[in-house]
Amino acid sequence: TDDNVIDIYDYADKIRTPQKKDKIAVIYAEGPIMYDENTGNNIAITPANIAEKIKQLKKLDNLKGVVLRVNSPGGSALSAELIYQMFSELPVPVYVSMGSTAASGGYYIAMAGDKVFADKSTITGSIGVVSAIPKVQKAAGNLGIDSSSITKGKFSDLYDPFVDLSDESAERLRTSMLETYNEFKSRVQKNRGISADKIEEYAQGKVWLGDEAKEIGLVDQIGSLDDTIQIMAKDLKLQSYSVEEVFVNED
């Protein structure tokens, strides 16, 4: 019957290629971390983009683990926290492979990993928070440009470039940055098991190379993306597995 008929080429492929049921998924996080992808930047990491990639994981049968490949100088702290939460909530192990750069927000999202790998020269850490608010009132005045606005609320004009930053507004900004900085350090402390004092010593925006980060405990191991995948398979005792690269569904 037709049920017992198979094309000779399909049969040959089945003989040559063992059926691999278990899967390890690789998700790429490349570029600056932004909240909104409509910024004119063709390559960016956003919560929406990562959420879509994680959604694709549900289509993979027998998913055993996820490798997150990070190559990012950082960016939006809020976006980094949202992405950190997404990977922290996955029901399978997450290993992180850091590329040439995993700094600031890039390192932040890496803290969702059960194990963290870096190359020897990976720019790592930069545990800190920076905020810049351009103020152009004086320069605009020199050019004869004036601006008026209607605001409601004590700090509603904080980000208005035509309004000078008051002492009270500057203090509010410093407080907000300190809260974000402390949250960042808490994520690192939880993941790395390092004391708060040591975290502060390694933080303050300092940048480390991968081998230095390994020495002080900011990463687990030196290794490439392939090394990370192979070690995950070994840790999970996978005898036969396939690697699935996850991309955003354009349909």
Side-chain angles (χ1 to χ4, degrees), residues 10-229:
D10 292 339
Y11 179 71
D13 287 341
K14 288 181 179 295
I15 293 176
R16 286 195 301 264
T17 307
Q19 297 301 303
K20 298 175 179 179
K21 294 184 178 180
D22 295 329
K23 295 182 177 68
I24 292 176
V26 178
I27 291 179
Y28 295 91
E30 301 267 351
I33 300 174
M34 300 180 177
Y35 188 78
D36 185 357
E37 59 188 1
N38 297 318
T39 58
N41 193 312
N42 292 328
I43 302 177
I45 306 166
T46 66
N49 181 279
I50 294 297
E52 178 62 26
K53 290 181 180 181
I54 289 178
K55 183 179 177 181
Q56 301 301 316
L57 297 179
K58 297 180 180 179
K59 300 179 181 180
L60 299 178
D61 295 329
N62 299 311
L63 179 65
K64 300 301 181 182
V66 172
V67 172
L68 170 61
R69 176 68 169 181
V70 177
N71 191 15
S72 172
S76 165
L78 173 59
S79 296
E81 170 63 19
L82 293 174
I83 293 168
Y84 167 88
Q85 293 289 349
M86 292 180 202
F87 283 103
S88 297
E89 293 170 359
L90 288 180
V92 295
V94 176
Y95 283 14
V96 174
S97 168
M98 304 198 304
S100 61
T101 304
S104 191
Y107 186 70
Y108 195 124
I109 65 177
M111 292 299 93
D114 297 288
K115 284 188 177 181
V116 182
F117 296 75
D119 293 328
K120 288 184 178 180
S121 59
T122 299
I123 297 174
T124 306
S126 189
I127 303 167
V129 179
V130 176
S131 182
I133 302 178
K135 295 293 182 179
V136 299
Q137 186 181 35
K138 291 182 180 179
N142 292 334
L143 296 173
I145 301 172
D146 195 11
S147 172
S148 61
S149 60
I150 299 174
T151 60
K152 183 178 182 180
K154 193 170 187 179
F155 299 108
S156 59
D157 60 357
L158 180 62
Y159 296 98
D160 187 336
F162 290 95
V163 177
D164 282 341
L165 193 66
S166 67
D167 290 343
E168 192 174 14
S169 293
E171 183 58 32
R172 178 68 184 88
L173 183 61
R174 279 191 290 269
T175 299
S176 177
M177 290 172 59
L178 182 60
E179 291 172 353
T180 303
Y181 179 52
N182 288 333
E183 183 175 56
F184 192 170
K185 289 191 295 181
S186 74
R187 300 306 189 199
V188 179
Q189 185 177 358
K190 178 181 178 181
N191 182 283
R192 307 312 308 157
I194 303 174
S195 69
D197 290 341
K198 280 294 183 183
I199 291 295
E200 178 61 23
E201 180 182 336
Y202 301 152
Q204 303 176 54
K206 295 177 182 177
V207 175
W208 309 86
L209 294 179
D211 53 359
E212 296 173 327
K214 168 66 169 64
E215 188 174 327
I216 62 177
L218 292 183
V219 302
D220 293 292
Q221 199 164 328
I222 300 298
S224 65
L225 174 59
D226 286 341
D227 293 331
T228 306
I229 294 170

